[in-house]
Amino acid sequence: MALDLGDRRIGVALSDPTRIIAKPLLVIKRKSRLEDFSRLKEIVKSHSVDHLVIGLPVNLSGHEGQRAVWTRDYAAALSAFLQMKAELWDESFSTKDAEDSLRLRGISPKSQRSRIDAIAAALILQSYLDSHQKAIT
């Protein structure tokens, strides 16, 4: 499972059982950490998730800013709550790529808002899966 953490929403994506293809699952409207974590725990349980990937925002310079610090803190707290290791993965351009993908499919910007974060999470997860698949072959 991969997460794209935003200020107001969390995009969630899952992979197929063979860990080759990522697909968007849903978008969670953020409320509080406890509520977010509880909802994510339900998803982990209902989908038998055994690996968690969280998008890490890295600046174009390759350095981490305040958002990355916040993400690392959130990931550590979520990992402890779920009792599951959370792996951070570079999310560079995932939201822009998701927007471009939806625009190319003719989906209006207004309609994109409800899906963009889950698609970004799927792009993060696909990047992670592809990288690890290359390491295996």
Side-chain angles (χ1 to χ4, degrees):
M1 179 169 86
L3 305 178
D4 179 45
L5 302 175
D7 291 329
R8 293 183 297 261
R9 294 176 300 276
I10 300 171
V12 181
L14 296 173
S15 74
D16 68 317
T18 63
R19 293 186 179 182
I20 294 174
I21 300 170
K23 61 184 179 202
L25 179 65
L26 55 83
V27 175
I28 297 171
K29 289 186 180 182
R30 295 202 46 224
K31 295 181 181 181
S32 68
R33 278 195 179 189
L34 182 57
E35 288 180 76
D36 297 348
F37 291 2
S38 295
R39 179 70 178 112
L40 291 167
K41 188 172 189 169
E42 290 172 15
I43 295 168
V44 164
K45 186 175 180 180
S46 67
H47 291 278
S48 302
V49 172
D50 62 3
H51 199 88
L52 180 61
V53 177
I54 298 176
L56 180 68
V58 179
N59 296 331
L60 290 176
S61 66
H63 296 93
E64 295 182 12
Q66 280 303 112
R67 188 66 185 180
V69 171
W70 177 88
T71 299
R72 286 184 180 281
D73 180 67
Y74 191 99
L78 178 60
S79 179
F81 183 86
L82 296 176
Q83 298 179 344
M84 172 186 291
K85 181 184 174 202
E87 190 167 350
L88 298 170
W89 194 255
D90 183 2
E91 69 169 19
S92 297
F93 304 108
S94 61
T95 299
K96 171 134 180 31
D97 290 345
E99 289 169 350
D100 291 347
S101 173
L102 289 170
R103 185 178 30 78
L104 288 171
R105 289 190 273 164
I107 298 172
S108 72
K110 185 177 180 181
S111 297
Q112 288 180 14
R113 275 186 241 131
S114 64
R115 299 190 258 184
I116 197 80
D117 299 297
I119 293 170
L123 292 171
I124 293 165
L125 183 55
Q126 192 64 59
S127 170
Y128 175 86
L129 295 171
D130 291 348
S131 175
H132 286 74
Q133 194 65 22
K134 289 176 189 171
I136 294 170
T137 56

